[in-house]
Structures are given as structure tokens and as C-alpha cells.
Amino acid sequence: MKKLSARRRHPLAAVVVLLLALAATGGLYAAFAPAGKAQADDTSQSLTIKEGKKLYEVGCASCHGTGGQGSSDGPSLVGVGAAAVDFQVGTGRMPASTSEMAQLPRKKVSYTQTEIDQLAAFVASLGAGPSVPTKDQYGPAGADIAKGGELFRTNCAQCHNFTGKGGALTEGKYAPSLEGVAPKHIYEAMQTGPQNMPSFPDTTMSEKNKKDIIAYLNAVDGDETENPGGLELGGVGPVSEGLFGWIFGLGGLIAVAVWVAARTAKAKKS
């Protein structure tokens, strides 16, 4: 006991205890810290970007440039973000068959979702931009359908009409129908503003408002219930209804007036 007590009073005893404590702390940190997982995630992301670059060089670089800087055949992709890629490629609008079309239509998708994710990761690495939304952002949970309808009629119905069935624009352009469009792609379209559509970032329209609009569109999508107003004429509102009334209603009245006048004139001759 005297020897042990003497060792405790040794000048180097405190240093030895401190070193042992540091070694134990370092060992515990190395054992429980998520560094390995973070490193694995970084490696996985690097591989995804690498594969996306390969896909980009084959299917996209001829129009958008080898570094995404754009060319006379395609706009720059620097800063458009992963959401723009997921929307354009995920709806089949890209790759485009020609650059001379007034507007790119939705068509069969050319890539798998894994390949789309890889392309999106590569384009996102070129510059910061909107990310692909999560299901929590566009899912129906907590959405207000009535508020969504109000927001849609205020901000979107001028082009897509109030039921989302689309409408004509100028110079061969058009607002596409929103029927059957995936909620994720609708959210991405609002984020990125593809083609003729203005963008609605969170600073302009909140994430909650976007969710409300998507819930409204989901509620009216494919609604085949009987229209209480009769024939809906495409559901585009007073334009088609007024045109129908002008051509057929007024035209019918004119035809009846001509017929009555002809009958009256014939009766007088008799």
C-alpha cells in the first residue's frame, strides 16, 4: 500500500492519468462516431455523379454543352438544380427529338428512375438549384383543398383553366393538361418554371401553398361526375361557352328570323 501511495504521488502520475483518459475518449469517439457512414454517403454520391456524367455526355452534351454551359441548341443547365432534370427527363420532355418545336410535349420516358437520379445529381453538381422534393412536401397530408383551389384559380387558371385541362397560348405554345401528372412533377414545375411557365419558388409561393394546389388538382383530376351546368365544353369557362352561344345561339335565331321572313313574304305573294 505504501508503494502504491508513493506512485500516486509521483510527479508523472497526473500526466499518465490524463493520457489514459484521452486515449479512452478517442477510442470511444472512433467507435461510435458516424464518420464511416458519412464517408460512405460521400462515396455513394460521388459514384452517382460520376455515372450521371457518363449519361449526360451521351444523351445531353450535344445540345447543352460538355460542361452544361449551353449552346445554340440548348440552354445552360448550370444552376437549374436536380428538380428541373427530374421534371424534364421524368416526363419524357427530355431528351428532345428536335430543338425547333414551339413547346416540348410530354412523351414516353427514355431513362429509368435510377438513371434520372444520376443525371439530376450530376447537373446539381454544376451549380446550386432546386432539389427534388420529398413526399412530405407534395403529399396530401395536411393539405387544404379549398385553399388550393383558390390559389390555383388566382395563379394558374389563366393558362391551365380552372380544372387543369390545359389551354392554348400564342405562337403554337400551350399550357398542358395537368390530368394524370404525378404530384412530384407538378411541384417541380412550380419550383422551376419549365418552358413558358413562370416559377414559384418558396419566396413567392410557400411549400404549404404548393401542397394545397396539388391536393386541389388531385381532387379534380379525372372527375367524371355529372356537371350540374350541363355540357362543360372542355371546362375552360366563359370563352368556349360564349363562343358556343354566339355561333349556335345567335346563328339559330338568325336562321329562324330568315325562315319567318321568307314565309311571310311567300304568304303575301299568295
Side-chain angles (χ1 to χ4, degrees):
M1 291 298 293
K2 291 182 178 180
K3 291 182 178 180
L4 181 60
S5 177
R7 287 178 182 176
R8 287 179 179 175
R9 291 195 295 271
H10 195 279
L12 297 178
V15 176
V16 172
V17 172
L18 179 61
L19 290 174
L20 290 174
L22 289 174
T25 303
L28 290 172
Y29 179 82
F32 295 103
K37 183 177 183 302
Q39 185 176 3
D41 291 343
D42 290 342
T43 303
S44 176
Q45 182 66 8
S46 298
L47 290 174
T48 300
I49 293 173
K50 185 177 180 180
E51 293 300 318
K53 184 178 181 180
K54 292 178 182 178
L55 293 169
Y56 177 88
E57 290 172 346
V58 173
C60 315
S62 58
C63 293
H64 295 286
T66 55
Q69 75 276 10
S71 70
S72 58
D73 294 324
S76 171
L77 298 182
V78 178
V80 301
V85 178
D86 191 74
F87 172 82
Q88 296 286 357
V89 183
T91 59
R93 290 176 168 85
M94 287 289 169
S97 55
T98 176
S99 60
E100 298 179 357
M101 300 176 67
Q103 183 164 326
L104 299 175
R106 183 172 55 172
K107 61 183 187 299
K108 185 178 179 180
V109 181
S110 302
Y111 294 90
T112 66
Q113 187 58 53
T114 298
E115 291 172 330
I116 293 172
D117 293 341
Q118 292 169 346
L119 276 170
F122 170 70
V123 172
S125 72
L126 301 177
S131 59
V132 176
T134 64
K135 192 171 182 179
D136 289 339
Q137 292 176 283
Y138 58 79
D144 186 337
I145 296 176
K147 180 65 175 178
E150 178 185 336
L151 290 166
F152 184 85
R153 288 187 292 272
T154 302
N155 297 282
C156 317
Q158 298 90 332
C159 296
H160 292 281
N161 85 55
F162 65 93
T163 57
K165 293 187 176 181
L169 301 176
T170 59
E171 301 178 353
K173 302 170 185 176
Y174 60 92
S177 171
L178 300 178
E179 293 184 333
V181 181
K184 178 178 71 167
H185 292 150
I186 296 176
Y187 193 102
E188 289 168 342
M190 287 189 280
Q191 275 186 309
T192 61
Q195 301 182 113
N196 306 293
M197 180 176 169
S199 62
F200 296 90
D202 290 344
T203 53
T204 302
M205 179 180 288
S206 69
E207 180 180 308
K208 176 64 167 59
N209 288 160
K210 293 188 185 77
K211 175 182 283 198
D212 293 341
I213 289 176
I214 292 171
Y216 166 75
L217 289 173
N218 185 61
V220 300
D221 188 8
D223 188 0
E224 302 296 338
T225 57
E226 183 178 354
N227 192 321
L231 183 63
E232 66 175 6
L233 300 175
V236 296
V239 174
S240 61
E241 294 167 0
L243 184 63
F244 183 89
W246 180 267
I247 293 176
F248 293 98
L250 185 58
L253 289 175
I254 293 174
V256 170
V258 171
W259 178 77
V260 170
R263 290 283 300 233
T264 302
K266 185 177 180 181
K268 287 182 179 180
K269 289 180 180 180
S270 301

